[in-house]
């Protein structure tokens, strides 16, 4: 890679919604590289690197497809479950309902276990559901962006493996990958799906999914009797493409988002090859999260997750104090230099707000982003 | 919009494959703008502009979705036709087979009328097929990128309107929009689908589709009895989102590709508001096409389209002379500064190559791209 020229993105307010997040100059410059052919040797090399070098799994098969994170749900629903089969959705916020909706679109029969707002689903409830019926797959949202609730991926996978080993474990990691600890291979997770614009630090537009080769082989190619329910999201179409680029050859099914793949490559290179290590990266996220959450507590703000043990480290969701509205707070935070997000969970939408602290905002301490966030919180809430 | 700073893309060989095409500094700079929220007021304005201001139709409803051009087929197949209904696919190259495959994935029963390689389907054949059976929709590839064959969109739409007025006319314009003359409203075309990386001059990653509101209302919301077969491509999900942004409000179904939308906006602004006009634009494409094709003819190279009357103006497909192989030509063209594309049509893949001449390569005469192309052709083929 050539040295980064003097490219600096335009001055702007700090973007601390829980995605899209702040993106480095280096990644943005890669997004502005001259147009290139999707079959050019240098692109083949870069795209191949992106497939070979995925951060959260060494055994898994990545699928990198032009699309929003949402497209990951279609990939799961269209490929891994057949019409009439059962799926179990653990609900910890907005995204559980949407994943259910997607699964049902492709004909799955969905049961949901719904946590209280701010809560998680207990292992007992999961165990009991798994014993009541044969489920082809179970899905959960690792961090639900609407509530900042972090589910215990390791414990969920353990419960499924123990009680119903044939049930696939599907982790929606859109808001967790590269900011929350996640060991796909070691914990026995079959699919992790995510997107480019959160912990991975790239503009939105890339649906990123990793599936265990065993799950793909068994469920898509061997035991599946119904045809795959989607064309654009079909792994039968995409697997040969990923395999080709992985082995250094071009192949065509649909044109990949060339510039965004270069941008993703720039970010991935930084995450996987350079300091900080992945361990250090998670540690920095925990430390930044503590700083924001401690500041909020000092200001008397209550977190949405009911128990600190399952609050995300990549984002914070905070209730407004009594009598204070979103329209009071968000514009003031903006006047203090940070763009935060309003509520998303329909039942309490107007009652809380959200701050993301992922990627370079956390990892590149020299930026001072966390200090900007805590200062803005203090300045705004001390005066309310 | 602020003035473009001194951003210049890195030096590179001229990319003249039939997409992705060369992208302007201005568009690339927009692709490298600082990260922004998908619900920020300035993004809402820009995304709204992109929806309101589509170049080829004033009446149509645009859908701008993160994805490859291929996703447009899923949108048509999942929303506009029900399982068991008939579709008629006009085949003028590689993309006819793929569209058929996509339609069948969602349960349509597909008949194909296949032109000879380099030929078009006759109006008589279309009329006869439409009289034999009730078709819910007919699809054709306006310019098939694999053959450079340009179908007569106006005549096809006229035939369908006369013989089978209820049949929807679906135009695959991935390789034609913004470079070939196309009048969706006046010609009575129900759907035009395209992508960002060809005539529209933006990096790949945006699926762009325009549907007549009448078709959407009748086929998706009123007469449809089967559920829409896709989640990510469902217009029931996307229509409220497009309507919201169109009217200046944010809404959420899946995160749009924010930076790419800014890039698209920059290109669209140039295409719709500034010189040259759309008329002038088509004229420049015809002139550039003539220059490339005349040069090829002088060099004794034979075009793939059987009749010049239906050769695309945005690209040229040329057979290699006898005894000359792709491996002889493409590296030499590259050594002469242009990246051209090999063959794509399976039956003759090794026998021909393709050159794109769309977008700024054609419209911005100061670049001298067409002269670079013709000079490279002369230098390479004169020596073979």
């Amino acid at each position: 890679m050539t040295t980064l020229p003097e490219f600096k993105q335009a001055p702007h307010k700090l973007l601390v919604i829980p995605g899209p997040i702040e993106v480095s100059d280096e990644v943005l410059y890669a997004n502005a590289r001259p147009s290139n052919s999707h079959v050019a040797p240098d692109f083949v090399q870069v795209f191949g690197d992106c497939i070979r070098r995925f951060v959260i799994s060494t055994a898994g098969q990545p699928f990198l497809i032009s699309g929003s994170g949402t497209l990951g749900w279609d990939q799961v629903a269209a490929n891994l479950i057949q019409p009439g089969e059962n799926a179990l959705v653990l609900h910890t916020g907005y995204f559980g309902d949407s994943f259910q909706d997607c699964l049902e679109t492709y004909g799955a029969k969905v049961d949901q276990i719904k946590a209280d707002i701010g809560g998680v689903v207990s292992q007992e409830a999961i165990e009991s559901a798994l014993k009541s019926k044969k489920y082809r797959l179970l899905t959960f949202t690792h961090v639900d962006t609407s509530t900042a609730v972090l589910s215990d991926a390791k414990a969920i996978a353990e419960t499924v493996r123990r009680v119903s080993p044939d049930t696939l474990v599907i982790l929606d990691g859109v808001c967790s990958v590269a900011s929350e600890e996640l060991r796909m291979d070691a914990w026995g997770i079959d699919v992790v799906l995510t997107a480019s614009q959160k912990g991975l630090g790239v503009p939105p537009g890339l649906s990123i999914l990793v599936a265990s080769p065993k799950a793909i082989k068994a469920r898509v190619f061997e035991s599946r009797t119904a045809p795959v329910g989607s064309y654009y999201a079909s792994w039968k179409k995409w697997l040969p493409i990923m395999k080709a680029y992985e082995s250094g050859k071009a192949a065509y099914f649909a044109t990949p988002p060339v510039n965004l793949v270069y941008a993703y490559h720039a970010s991935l290179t930084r995450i996987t090859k350079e300091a900080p290590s992945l361990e250090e990266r998670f540690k920095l996220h925990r430390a930044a999260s503590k700083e924001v959450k401690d500041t909020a507590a000092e200001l008397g703000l209550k977190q949405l997750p009911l128990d600190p043990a399952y609050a995300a480290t990549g984002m914070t969701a905070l209730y407004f104090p009594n009598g204070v509205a979103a329209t009071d707070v968000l514009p003031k935070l903006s006047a203090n230099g940070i763009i935060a997000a309003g509520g998303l969970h329909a039942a309490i939408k107007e009652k809380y707000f959200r701050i993301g602290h992922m990627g370079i905002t956390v990892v590149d301490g020299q930026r001072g982003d966390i200090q900007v966030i805590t200062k803005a919180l203090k300045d705004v809430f001390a005066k309310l």
Side-chain angles (χ1 to χ4, degrees), chain A:
Chain A
M1 207 166 150
T2 54
T3 322
L4 181 71
E6 291 301 315
F7 176 78
K8 280 225 163 292
Q9 59 191 298
H12 61 282
K13 288 183 183 171
L14 191 64
L15 185 66
V16 294
I17 63 172
I21 67 167
E22 285 285 319
V23 173
S24 73
D25 291 338
E26 185 182 25
V27 170
L28 287 177
Y29 185 68
N31 210 33
R33 84 178 300 290
S35 210
N36 197 9
S37 166
H38 49 297
V39 300
D42 50 338
F43 178 72
V44 171
Q45 173 65 35
V46 162
F47 197 23
D49 267 1
C50 291
I51 301 168
R52 287 183 293 263
R53 196 193 282 173
F54 195 63
V55 286
I56 48 140
S57 166
T58 50
Q61 171 66 51
F63 292 89
L64 307 177
I65 306 180
S66 179
S68 303
T70 299
L71 182 64
W73 296 339
D74 285 69
Q75 289 182 60
V76 169
N79 290 287
L80 291 177
I81 188 163
Q82 304 194 89
E85 291 179 343
N86 300 311
L88 181 63
V89 170
L90 311 188
H91 181 290
T92 53
Y94 177 93
F95 293 91
D97 288 331
S98 308
F99 206 159
Q100 167 165 6
D101 193 1
C102 179
L103 286 160
E104 288 174 345
T105 299
Y106 292 93
K109 290 160 76 180
V110 181
D111 295 322
Q112 205 182 78
I113 314 182
K114 198 164 185 164
D116 294 334
I117 293 175
V120 291
V121 176
S122 71
Q123 300 307 316
E124 293 70 29
I126 299 171
E127 178 159 354
S128 153
L130 289 173
K131 283 178 173 163
S132 74
K133 195 186 277 190
K134 184 177 167 58
Y135 289 104
R136 294 295 283 185
L137 54 85
L138 168 150
T139 79
F140 68 102
T141 319
H142 196 196
V143 171
D144 197 295
T145 321
S146 75
T147 57
V149 165
L150 171 71
S151 289
D152 187 340
K154 191 181 174 195
I156 293 170
E158 270 172 9
T159 300
V160 179
R161 291 289 166 246
R162 178 170 51 80
V163 182
S164 178
D166 283 347
T167 302
L168 298 180
V169 179
I170 315 291
L171 181 150
D172 177 343
V174 169
C175 197
S176 78
V177 165
S179 53
E180 310 290 344
E181 191 175 0
L182 173 52
R183 312 197 176 275
M184 179 172 172
D185 307 333
W187 295 350
I189 293 166
D190 297 286
V191 170
V192 170
L193 64 96
T194 188
S196 49
Q197 76 274 14
K198 305 212 182 191
L200 291 164
V202 183
L206 200 54
S207 163
I208 300 163
L209 184 147
V210 189
S212 76
K214 215 178 91 185
I216 299 173
K217 190 162 174 271
R219 296 298 172 84
V220 186
F221 290 92
E222 288 174 356
S223 71
R224 192 172 181 98
T225 50
V228 170
S230 167
Y231 183 74
Y232 187 63
S234 168
W235 290 349
K236 289 195 173 173
K237 303 293 182 190
W238 283 112
L239 187 61
I241 309 299
M242 296 300 140
K243 288 283 180 205
Y245 278 94
E246 216 172 315
S247 69
K249 291 191 209 89
Y252 179 74
F253 170 61
T255 306
V258 176
N259 282 47
L260 196 60
V261 169
Y262 277 101
Y264 178 56
H265 186 257
S267 190
L268 211 52
T269 302
R270 184 72 66 179
I271 293 173
T272 53
K273 287 207 162 167
E274 295 173 29
S277 70
L278 216 49
E279 282 314 313
E280 180 67 11
R281 193 180 170 85
F282 295 141
K283 206 170 131 191
L284 288 168
H285 277 81
R286 285 193 294 269
S289 175
K290 184 169 185 319
E291 213 170 320
V292 173
K293 289 175 173 66
D294 285 353
T295 301
E298 282 161 28
L299 293 164
L301 298 173
K302 198 183 145 223
Q303 279 190 61
L304 202 145
L306 299 171
D307 186 325
Y310 43 78
T313 66
M315 67 175 292
T316 301
L318 298 164
Y319 285 107
F320 297 121
N322 277 338
V324 173
T327 46
D328 295 333
V329 172
L330 296 177
K332 283 186 182 137
L333 287 172
S334 172
N336 280 270
I338 70 168
I339 308 292
L344 180 60
H345 194 298
I348 50 169
K349 202 171 173 348
E350 304 301 329
K351 296 188 177 165
Y352 75 110
F353 70 109
R354 299 170 297 150
I355 293 176
H357 26 83
M358 296 177 244
I360 53 171
T361 280
V362 165
V363 171
D364 181 357
Q366 293 197 315
R367 293 171 55 99
D369 289 0
I370 298 299
Q371 289 68 46
V372 174
I373 294 172
T374 51
K375 185 171 184 310
L377 286 174
K378 284 177 195 164
D379 287 351
V380 169
F381 284 99
K383 285 183 195 147
L384 279 171

